Amino acid sequence: MIYIGLTGWGDHYSLYEGVKPHQKLETYAGYFPIVELDSSFYAVQSRASMEKWIRETPNSFKFIVKAYQDITGHQRGESPFSSRDQMYEAFKDSLEPLIQANKLAMVLCQFPPWFDVTTKHVHALRFVREKLRDFPTALEFRHHSWFDAPYKEKTLQYMREDDWIHSICDEPQAGPGSVPTILEPTTKEKTLVRFHGRNRHGWNGPRNGENWRDVRYLYDYNQQELKEWEANLQRLSQKVDDVFVVFNNNSGGHAASNARSLIGNMNITYKDLASRQLDLF
């Protein structure tokens, strides 16, 4: 099955005309069967929050939970945890409600652009995988070296051996801080595809004081680009049981419309979406 959704549910304004803020997730779940939870990257979420989101979504709805920033080496400044063991335990505990409700699609570990292919970083990957061994866990690289000719096959083979789900990226090719699209699943059960847009000009940083997120993910996929991905996703779906697809190109509000176009173009129907109700009062 191919499941298509978005990163986060808060900012996709085209979905929410007349919708109150507390109704956004329930409204979102009327359009898409999955979501990437990105707030978990910035702070380990409480069980109460997870339980609330579970109640607001249909039984079959799934969450892709982005790993907390200290897990993937993004943490800057002082950690709120007394030790890495405490941090991992808190993160894993936050996942329990999703597991009990059968709503955890996977954990996503997206490593930073400076995380290149070195012995030290391979050891780091093995450490993280062991800590998250009990969870389906996706791996996304952001440094080109992992897929350079000398390492590409070794990288994919390592991911297969250590049971990493491959997070396949669509993004601009803009130097070492970007990765090519490698259409190779590394488990038989699941693979993940993330659409970051193709804004090559803005990928490597802000200009003239612009916010880097506003620049990097400003992109609207055209119909020809989506058509190419229809074929890619069909090929992937022949290799794995489930393909999870999320659009991250929302600086200009394009993610929701691109995802809905792709669903329509592929004639995909999801049977257990939330009912769409517009409450004007």
Side-chain angles (χ1 to χ4, degrees):
M1 185 65 181
I2 299 171
Y3 299 96
I4 299 172
L6 313 175
T7 57
W9 62 82
D11 297 331
H12 308 292
Y13 301 111
S14 64
L15 304 178
Y16 302 134
E17 184 178 355
V19 173
K20 297 174 182 178
H22 70 275
Q23 297 173 315
K24 282 187 174 182
L25 178 55
E26 184 177 358
T27 302
Y28 172 97
Y31 293 94
F32 304 107
I34 62 170
V35 73
E36 181 180 305
L37 180 64
D38 50 8
S39 58
S40 54
F41 174 80
Y42 300 100
V44 174
Q45 299 299 299
S46 68
R47 290 176 68 110
S49 293
M50 294 293 197
E51 289 163 356
K52 175 178 179 292
W53 298 329
I54 288 168
R55 291 193 300 269
E56 293 174 347
T57 53
N59 290 336
S60 63
F61 192 88
K62 304 289 185 183
F63 292 84
I64 298 163
V65 180
K66 198 168 183 181
Y68 178 58
Q69 59 187 332
D70 201 17
I71 292 175
T72 50
H74 290 84
Q75 181 77 36
R76 296 180 180 178
E78 187 174 350
S79 171
F81 300 100
S82 61
S83 67
R84 290 187 64 77
D85 283 343
Q86 184 193 46
M87 178 268 293
Y88 271 103
E89 288 307 310
F91 179 73
K92 290 190 285 187
D93 184 66
S94 75
L95 301 176
E96 282 303 314
L98 295 178
I99 294 169
Q100 293 169 12
N102 195 29
K103 290 194 173 187
L104 178 67
M106 66 190 74
V107 174
L108 167 63
C109 291
Q110 182 192 57
F111 285 85
W114 57 87
F115 192 85
D116 58 351
V117 60
T118 64
T119 299
K120 174 184 175 181
H121 289 154
V122 171
H123 288 324
L125 291 177
R126 293 186 185 279
F127 177 83
V128 171
R129 189 69 193 101
E130 199 56 40
K131 286 290 188 180
L132 300 177
R133 182 63 65 189
D134 294 336
F135 309 99
T137 308
L139 172 56
E140 181 172 323
F141 293 112
R142 305 193 77 176
H143 194 279
H144 196 284
S145 60
W146 295 93
F147 295 119
D148 285 344
Y151 299 108
K152 174 185 171 183
E153 293 306 321
K154 293 180 180 179
T155 295
L156 293 170
Q157 184 58 33
Y158 160 67
M159 293 173 70
R160 295 185 187 102
E161 291 172 354
D162 220 5
D163 201 29
W164 285 101
I165 298 165
H166 186 191
S167 176
I168 299 167
C169 297
D170 184 280
E171 63 189 41
Q173 300 307 289
S178 58
V179 294
T181 299
I182 306 294
L183 296 171
E184 290 292 338
T186 51
T187 72
K188 294 181 180 179
E189 294 76 26
K190 302 175 181 179
T191 199
L192 176 62
V193 178
R194 299 180 79 232
F195 286 83
H196 296 304
R198 300 180 181 181
N199 185 354
R200 189 177 185 276
H201 174 74
W203 186 255
N204 289 317
R207 291 168 175 79
N208 301 320
E210 296 170 301
N211 181 285
W212 71 272
R213 286 187 177 278
D214 292 342
V215 175
R216 171 172 282 193
Y217 301 116
L218 181 61
Y219 193 78
D220 185 10
Y221 285 91
N222 62 43
Q223 286 300 313
Q224 179 58 41
E225 291 165 339
L226 294 177
K227 188 72 175 177
E228 293 169 3
W229 267 103
E230 287 180 43
N232 290 340
L233 295 175
Q234 292 289 6
R235 285 196 293 271
L236 289 171
S237 69
Q238 294 172 5
K239 298 180 180 180
V240 296
D241 296 334
D242 294 313
V243 181
F244 293 81
V245 181
V246 290
F247 282 80
N248 190 38
N249 57 316
N250 200 48
S251 296
H254 299 115
S257 60
N258 287 168
R260 293 181 69 186
S261 290
L262 185 59
I263 291 170
N265 293 347
M266 298 187 74
N267 295 312
I268 297 174
T269 300
Y270 300 115
K271 296 181 179 179
D272 189 29
L273 297 177
S275 60
R276 298 184 195 176
Q277 296 179 351
L278 187 62
D279 182 0
L280 299 177
F281 303 96

